[in-house]
Amino acid sequence: MSSFPPVPDLVLPHPVVDNHCHLDIGRDGESLPVEDALARAASVGVTRVVQVGCDLLSARWAVEASARHPEMIAAVALHPNDAPLHDDLDAALDEIERLATAHDRVRAVGETGLDFFRTGAEGIAAQEYSFRRHVDIAKRHDRTLQIHDRDAHDAVLELLDAEGVPDRWVMHCFSGDATFARACLDRGAYLSFAGTVTLKNAGDLRDALAIVPRDRVLVETDAPFLTPAPHRGRLNSPYLIPHTLAVMAQVRGDDLGELCAAVDANTEAAFGGSW
């Protein structure tokens, strides 16, 4: 049996964008060819994606792939857990800046941020330095900032308050409660929800989703990770977004078509226009 679940029966009533995926990453020795992943996604109404590079190799891949596929734009960064691994962090960040300005299909700098779950105290200084550099790159080159935040809510906001947020920024795979959601929204964030919102133990996350204004909500897969129910434990891909959006509409009390239309428009606004 394939590690990838079947294509959902639900076809979304309005096209949407998966604003965060990693189509270059395979798991368990299995991956989908990019063309196959994009075709499956389009068949259920997920017509565009943001391909995210989170180390130098995947950032280069994202830039090249976005130039080949009109339904794709790119985001480039050093993931917070990657930053402490570089002997010459400045040189790596200089390359990220070069990639961020490689062509107009590179719309975002991310995923950057802080991760206090996987990186210990010895790596925090490198994470913070890298995060500041990414914020600066996004602001100077008018790129959307896409933030990874794991077990670091307060520290992320403190750094953003110190550096100043760009005009457009997205909290990738939002993982906080309603109080943290309000704090991000007060600073102008778009909040992006992944398959985790469908899981039984995600009550705080659904409470947060319920209070997000319709013009600030986004959806993502983080594929091949964070697979939504009912397929948790199998591989994720953009074509599984209908499962996530159906739950999001139910939690919010939204009409599914209206929510899809809002998510589509919000993603364009968050990433600097249509593509």
Side-chain angles (χ1 to χ4, degrees):
M1 181 179 69
S2 171
S3 298
F4 285 96
V7 175
D9 293 332
L10 174 62
V11 176
L12 296 173
H14 188 284
V16 299
V17 183
D18 178 356
N19 87 93
H20 193 111
C21 62
H22 306 277
L23 298 184
D24 58 319
I25 298 178
R27 291 179 64 197
D28 304 326
E30 189 172 359
S31 61
L32 283 177
V34 173
E35 292 77 7
D36 191 4
L38 294 173
R40 291 190 192 189
S43 75
V44 295
V46 183
T47 56
R48 293 177 291 171
V49 303
V50 181
Q51 169 66 27
V52 178
C54 51
D55 57 28
L56 292 179
L57 184 63
S58 62
R60 295 177 195 128
W61 191 95
V63 173
E64 293 168 0
S66 67
R68 294 195 307 269
H69 298 285
E71 57 271 80
M72 179 189 294
I73 58 172
V76 298
L78 301 182
H79 190 284
N81 293 323
D82 186 68
L85 305 179
H86 288 273
D87 293 330
D88 190 342
L89 182 54
D90 279 312
L93 290 165
D94 287 345
E95 180 166 358
I96 290 297
E97 181 164 9
R98 182 187 66 77
L99 291 168
T101 58
H103 57 69
D104 61 6
R105 298 192 66 76
V106 185
R107 298 284 188 88
V109 172
E111 58 188 285
T112 182
L114 300 173
D115 188 320
F116 296 165
F117 179 78
R118 286 199 178 93
T119 297
E122 71 284 354
I124 290 177
Q127 283 196 1
E128 291 180 342
Y129 177 75
S130 178
F131 190 11
R132 288 191 179 93
R133 283 284 308 271
H134 282 85
V135 173
D136 177 65
I137 292 167
K139 290 167 70 174
R140 284 191 292 108
H141 297 292
D142 190 29
R143 297 297 189 261
T144 301
L145 183 70
Q146 208 175 42
I147 292 178
H148 171 105
D149 159 33
R150 188 162 188 188
D151 293 355
H153 298 338
D154 292 342
V156 165
L157 294 183
E158 287 171 8
L159 190 146
L160 288 174
D161 287 345
E163 299 297 317
V165 295
D167 290 338
R168 302 177 307 279
W169 70 283
V170 175
M171 188 63 80
H172 145 63
C173 187
F174 183 81
S175 60
D177 58 14
T179 299
F180 183 58
R182 290 188 183 94
C184 294
L185 292 165
D186 287 346
R187 293 163 172 81
Y190 291 88
L191 304 188
S192 179
F193 292 83
T196 44
V197 79
T198 71
L199 305 182
K200 290 181 179 179
N201 63 352
D204 285 349
L205 188 55
R206 287 190 283 273
D207 290 344
L209 171 63
I211 63 97
V212 179
R214 188 181 287 182
D215 66 352
R216 287 282 153 175
V217 65
L218 305 177
V219 71
E220 66 174 274
T221 56
D222 199 24
F225 314 105
L226 306 184
T227 310
H231 299 298
R232 187 179 185 185
R234 300 178 72 179
L235 299 185
N236 202 3
S237 189
Y239 70 84
L240 295 173
I241 271 183
H243 293 301
T244 303
L245 272 171
V247 170
M248 290 173 63
Q250 182 179 28
V251 167
R252 293 174 55 83
D254 283 342
D255 172 81
L256 179 59
E258 292 177 357
L259 179 59
C260 289
V263 165
D264 197 46
N266 295 346
T267 312
E268 288 195 354
F271 288 88
S274 62
W275 67 91

